[in-house]
Amino acid sequence: MAQSEAIIPFSLYELVPGFFFSMLAIFLFSKIGPSPSKEMIEEFDLVKASNI
């Protein structure tokens, strides 16, 4: 029983850095990558304006 109690905190703490680094990667690549095209922005605005 002592082994399972020791494993649980490590499995939970692995989620925290994984979440942090994935958020950081998404942010960095969105800033490094190209901006959305005009057509993509127009399509997004069209879908956003619809009441689906």
Side-chain angles (χ1 to χ4, degrees), residues 25-51:
I26 290 169
F27 176 76
L28 290 176
F29 284 111
S30 69
K31 294 298 177 186
I32 292 172
S35 298
S37 65
K38 190 172 185 173
E39 294 85 16
M40 187 182 295
I41 293 172
E42 289 173 357
E43 185 174 349
F44 177 80
D45 289 337
L46 180 68
V47 172
K48 188 177 176 183
S50 68
N51 292 327

Side-chain angles (χ1 to χ4, degrees), residues 8-21:
I8 291 174
F10 291 114
S11 64
L12 287 176
Y13 291 133
E14 288 175 1
L15 292 173
V16 175
F19 180 76
F20 174 75
F21 286 121

